[in-house]
Amino acid sequence: NFREVYPINVLHGYHDYYTYTIHFQNTGTAPAMNILIIDTLSTDLNMETFQVTSYSHYNVVSLTNNILTVRFPNIQLPDSTSNPESSMGFIQYRIKPNTGLALGTQIRNTANIYFDYNAPIITNTTINEYTPTGIVNHEIANSLKIFPNPTCNKITIINIDNSSKTKISILDVYGNKIKEKI
């Protein structure tokens, strides 16, 4: 149950789409009958440019002010113990930023995923930053450095903590696995 966005860090003045994907998996012990995602979008995004681009299951989407609500009614999503492959789903949308955002602006986004009547699962927070070069060095869990970001063909990954094994998966904007390495 996580979210991702592409691109991550952009040049000051960027005004193209951000593509967000919210992934969910039923890790409970029974099928999920209904799933609800509530995503409070940043006021730095232009709500008029919002478009759903892809999804795994039938859903009903509404966007009121900056609150995105995605309902997966009667989804009957199997639990991950009984059917790992079918226990997953996603929704993908794109949206443009407002014009004139200042250098250093960070667009943060987190979603809540409700499986039936259970407490919400809160996703990770994605951050889009307007930088002077479009490149920011990231430290993930204080053990990895990945750069440059964004990139076209080549990426450098440095494992700072050589004592631990790390599995790295590289996905394209649509969530397709491009490469995986341990």
Side-chain angles (χ1 to χ4, degrees), residues 17-127:
Y17 284 100
Y18 286 118
T19 300
Y20 291 91
T21 307
I22 301 172
H23 301 270
F24 55 88
Q25 183 175 27
N26 178 6
T27 59
T29 57
M33 301 307 286
N34 298 290
I35 296 175
L36 169 67
I37 298 174
I38 298 177
D39 190 355
T40 303
L41 303 179
S42 169
T43 55
D44 288 328
L45 297 171
N46 181 343
M47 301 306 141
E48 293 177 9
T49 64
F50 174 85
Q51 300 173 350
V52 173
T53 56
S54 187
Y55 49 86
S56 60
H57 299 81
Y58 169 78
N59 60 77
V60 178
V61 175
S62 67
L63 180 60
T64 304
N65 297 322
N66 65 323
I67 307 296
L68 172 63
T69 303
V70 183
R71 297 181 189 281
F72 293 88
N74 199 27
I75 189 172
Q76 299 191 30
L77 195 69
D79 62 89
S80 59
T81 304
S82 65
N83 192 339
E85 295 278 328
S86 296
S87 69
M88 297 180 276
F90 72 93
I91 185 152
Q92 184 176 77
Y93 64 88
R94 67 185 194 164
I95 190 167
K96 290 183 177 181
N98 291 326
T99 57
L101 295 177
L103 181 65
T105 297
Q106 291 186 342
I107 299 175
R108 296 175 176 267
N109 194 274
T110 306
N112 294 298
I113 305 171
Y114 296 83
F115 291 85
D116 295 323
Y117 299 103
N118 295 305
I121 294 174
I122 301 168
T123 66
N124 58 303
T125 300
T126 58
I127 302 171

Side-chain angles (χ1 to χ4, degrees), residues 124-138:
N124 58 303
T125 300
T126 58
I127 302 171
N128 302 89
E129 185 172 352
Y130 284 75
T131 67
T133 63
I135 298 172
V136 175
N137 290 339
H138 286 276

